């Protein structure tokens, strides 16, 4: 029988404490993730089917948070003084859809995802992070509620996806908390400057994506308009490659 939201919340309260996690609570968390895994598998099948029906070349991936990642998330929040309700964490199960989309097409795909799942009786809500980014992170998320659990579908343009991948690698090196506006664990002001530069790059990319979408609406050739994004995408790919090199050297 699935855990109730009340039981999940109580489990989260125990897991957020810095003491060693009990075997019993670890087993309960693993059982909870199994519930999410089953829901994620069903949702992934629906997303794959939907993406196969459109003309845009889309990539689809999915992931389930691990027990370690969830416990760290809960304990980080507790350490900040802002306890997190485990039952309300929305990104335990996630699907990512990305491709060479304009902002207009991103809106269209978002509507298609929500319509498909709402048509099956699930409740959907949309979180648009493009106008109101989180530390530079931009995307559109569709939150699908089914059976008391939530699957988060992230819909990203190529530029948004590349930017997010770069920032993820930076967070791997200097502290995962920087994704939520926390100070870096290492590097001090130099890393703060890097974060500021990444936020500026995100803003410039978004302005360019808006211009591209407007040009296409005005009658511009789609591929020609999208090509205007190429220099920014090349820059992000170079940064990503450099960071991967840094990570590789630090691991040896």
């Amino acid at each position: 029988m699935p855990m109730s939201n009340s039981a999940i919340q109580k489990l989260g309260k125990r897991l957020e404490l810095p003491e060693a996690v009990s075997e019993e609570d670890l087993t309960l968390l693993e059982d909870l993730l199994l519930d999410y895994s089953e829901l994620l598998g069903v949702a992934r099948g629906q997303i794959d089917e939907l993406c196969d029906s459109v003309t845009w070349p889309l990539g689809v991936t999915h992931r389930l948070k691990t027990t370690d990642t969830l416990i760290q998330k809960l304990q980080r929040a507790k350490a900040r003084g802002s306890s997190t309700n485990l039952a309300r964490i929305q990104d335990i199960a996630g699907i990512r859809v990305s491709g060479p989309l304009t902002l207009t097409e991103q809106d269209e795909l978002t509507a298609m995802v929500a319509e498909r799942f709402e048509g099956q009786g699930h409740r959907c809500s949309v979180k648009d992070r493009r106008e109101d980014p989180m530390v530079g992170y931009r995307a559109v998320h569709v939150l699908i509620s089914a059976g008391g659990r939530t699957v988060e579908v992230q819909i990203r343009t190529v530029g948004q996806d590349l930017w997010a991948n770069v920032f993820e690698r930076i967070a791997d090196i200097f502290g995962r908390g920087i994704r939520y506006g926390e100070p870096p664990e290492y590097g001090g002001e130099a890393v703060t400057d890097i974060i500021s530069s990444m936020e500026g790059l995100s803003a410039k990319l978004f302005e360019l994506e808006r211009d591209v979408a407007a040009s296409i609406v005005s009658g511009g050739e789609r591929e020609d308009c999208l090509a205007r994004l190429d220099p920014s995408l090349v820059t992000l790919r170079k940064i990503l490659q450099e960071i991967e090199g840094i990570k590789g050297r630090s691991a040896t």
Side-chain angles (χ1 to χ4, degrees):
M1 182 177 180
M3 292 175 65
S4 68
N5 283 347
S6 175
I8 296 171
Q9 183 177 6
K10 290 176 182 177
L11 172 63
K13 290 294 183 185
R14 296 193 298 272
L15 293 174
E16 71 182 11
L17 299 175
E19 292 83 10
V21 175
S22 71
E23 287 296 327
E24 181 181 359
D25 282 343
L26 188 57
T27 298
L28 287 172
L29 184 59
E30 289 170 347
D31 289 344
L32 176 64
L33 289 178
L34 183 60
D35 286 346
Y36 275 98
S37 179
E38 293 174 357
L39 176 59
L40 180 60
V42 173
R44 170 67 195 259
Q46 293 290 321
I47 293 294
D48 283 341
E49 195 175 290
L50 179 61
C51 290
D52 286 342
S53 72
V54 301
T55 58
W56 308 307
L58 300 171
V60 184
T61 59
H62 70 273
R63 63 102 186 95
L64 186 72
K65 283 191 181 298
T66 65
T67 54
D68 286 345
T69 300
L70 268 175
I71 292 169
Q72 290 168 12
K73 183 184 182 83
L74 290 165
Q75 293 185 352
R76 254 196 333 264
K78 179 69 172 178
R80 293 196 307 264
S82 56
S83 182
T84 297
N85 185 341
L86 177 59
R88 294 182 181 175
I89 293 179
Q90 298 173 334
D91 62 346
I92 292 177
I95 298 172
R96 183 177 302 159
V97 182
S98 63
L101 299 166
T102 68
L103 296 180
T104 303
E105 292 163 351
Q106 189 178 24
D107 287 334
E108 292 173 9
L109 184 57
T110 298
M112 291 168 67
V113 170
E115 181 179 354
R116 169 166 288 232
F117 285 93
E118 286 174 347
Q120 297 172 355
H122 305 306
R123 183 168 55 83
C124 294
S125 61
V126 175
K127 183 185 294 183
D128 192 336
R129 283 287 186 193
R130 294 174 300 183
E131 293 284 357
D132 182 25
M134 171 70 79
V135 198
Y137 171 78
R138 285 179 163 87
V140 180
H141 295 181
V142 182
L143 303 174
I144 303 164
S145 284
R149 307 287 182 259
T150 300
V151 174
E152 178 186 75
V153 181
Q154 301 176 350
I155 301 174
R156 300 176 180 175
T157 66
V158 169
Q160 292 164 1
D161 192 53
L162 271 172
W163 186 96
N165 288 336
V166 170
F167 204 78
E168 280 281 331
R169 301 306 188 279
I170 294 172
D172 286 342
I173 298 172
F174 298 110
R176 305 291 291 171
I178 66 172
R179 298 175 303 154
Y180 309 106
E182 297 175 17
E185 296 175 10
Y186 315 100
E189 188 174 339
V191 179
T192 301
D193 290 342
I194 292 172
I195 294 169
S196 179
S197 295
M198 286 296 296
E199 289 183 282
L201 185 56
S202 172
K204 290 177 182 177
L205 178 61
F206 182 52
E207 285 299 319
L208 184 54
E209 286 183 321
R210 286 205 291 199
D211 289 344
V212 166
S215 296
I216 294 173
V217 170
S218 298
E221 182 65 34
R222 181 180 184 277
E223 295 307 317
D224 290 342
C225 292
L226 280 173
R228 291 164 51 192
L229 295 168
D230 288 349
S232 296
L233 303 183
V234 168
T235 297
L236 284 167
R237 290 189 179 102
K238 285 181 178 178
I239 296 172
L240 184 59
Q241 187 176 28
E242 290 172 0
I243 294 174
E244 292 288 7
I246 292 171
K247 285 185 65 179
R249 289 193 296 272
S250 64
T252 58

